[in-house]
Amino acid sequence: NYEGLAPSQKNRARFPTTQSKVFEACAVVNGMPSSPWFSFLIRLDKTEGLGLTRDGKQQLFGIFRIGKAGGPNGPGLYLKPAAGSTDQYFVAASKRANPEKTVTSPIGLPVGKPQLIVGHYNTQVTPHRLDIWLNPPMDTLGADQAPDATFSTADGVDFPAAFDAVILGGGVGSPGVLMDEIRVGETWAEVTPH
């Protein structure tokens, strides 16, 4: 549960705790909006094992994206450990899991506490972008308008011609992640019910 949101309906998902690749789980969603909003709750209980180093480069752990079943996929969200800290991690956004092509959140998130992440695949602006909110203010939940985003992808990201799927996972290395209350809608208010 997350204070200010409608109570959880249970059936949360736990990503496997493994040092190997976590393969994607894809669910087709009928009637996906052309400029979809989404939200979900996430809890990371430890950072050990979050991403692996391959060829001297830190890999990112993919958690969520909206795309086209069978590809191509839209920009996604990734988790990355905070340097020198085991009690904090960051969210990054990119059209691909490449640490050199991501935008990282300006604030870290604490380990062991539920976090509300809200996003908007904004195809109404040119170039397109993915806007992200981390734990938005309580008084904005369910509002007609969204507050300012916490961060956004760089300009010029690519989007599929049509969205029809929610894709979870697809990362390298996993410390075990809980995810719950995934919502997809056409407005801020639809994905932040209180």
Side-chain angles (χ1 to χ4, degrees):
N1 289 322
Y2 185 88
E3 183 181 351
L5 274 189
S8 170
Q9 299 301 307
K10 305 193 186 295
N11 300 319
R12 67 187 182 183
R14 180 182 291 277
F15 287 42
T17 304
T18 176
Q19 290 294 317
S20 61
K21 182 170 178 65
V22 178
F23 291 97
E24 298 171 352
C26 176
V28 174
V29 179
N30 294 322
M32 182 79 77
S34 61
S35 190
W37 291 80
F38 64 86
S39 69
F40 57 86
L41 296 177
I42 191 169
R43 193 182 83 204
L44 180 68
D45 287 330
K46 63 177 183 175
T47 59
E48 182 183 358
L50 178 58
L52 298 173
T53 300
R54 182 183 296 164
D55 298 327
K57 294 183 179 179
Q58 179 71 45
Q59 304 298 303
L60 299 179
F61 176 65
I63 55 168
F64 185 93
R65 62 183 185 272
I66 289 176
K68 183 85 175 152
N73 293 311
L77 294 180
Y78 304 86
L79 301 182
K80 56 189 296 187
S85 174
T86 59
D87 59 2
Q88 187 174 231
Y89 62 98
F90 288 89
V91 177
S94 175
K95 67 178 180 179
R96 59 178 63 87
N98 183 335
E100 297 173 0
K101 297 183 181 294
T102 61
V103 178
T104 301
S105 61
I107 55 173
L109 299 176
V111 168
K113 295 182 179 179
Q115 310 295 323
L116 172 61
I117 298 178
V118 183
H120 182 213
Y121 282 81
N122 195 339
T123 60
Q124 305 306 309
V125 298
T126 303
H128 300 157
R129 68 176 184 260
L130 171 56
D131 297 323
I132 302 298
W133 291 259
L134 302 179
N135 297 317
M138 292 290 179
D139 60 357
T140 68
L141 301 183
D144 292 336
Q145 298 292 324
D148 291 340
T150 307
F151 72 109
S152 303
T153 52
D155 288 345
V157 296
D158 298 328
F159 288 86
F163 299 98
D164 69 359
V166 169
I167 300 103
L168 305 180
V172 178
S174 172
V177 175
L178 285 176
M179 185 179 283
D180 201 0
E181 297 301 301
I182 299 171
R183 295 179 170 91
V184 177
E186 298 188 66
T187 67
W188 169 268
E190 286 184 352
V191 299
T192 60
H194 56 63

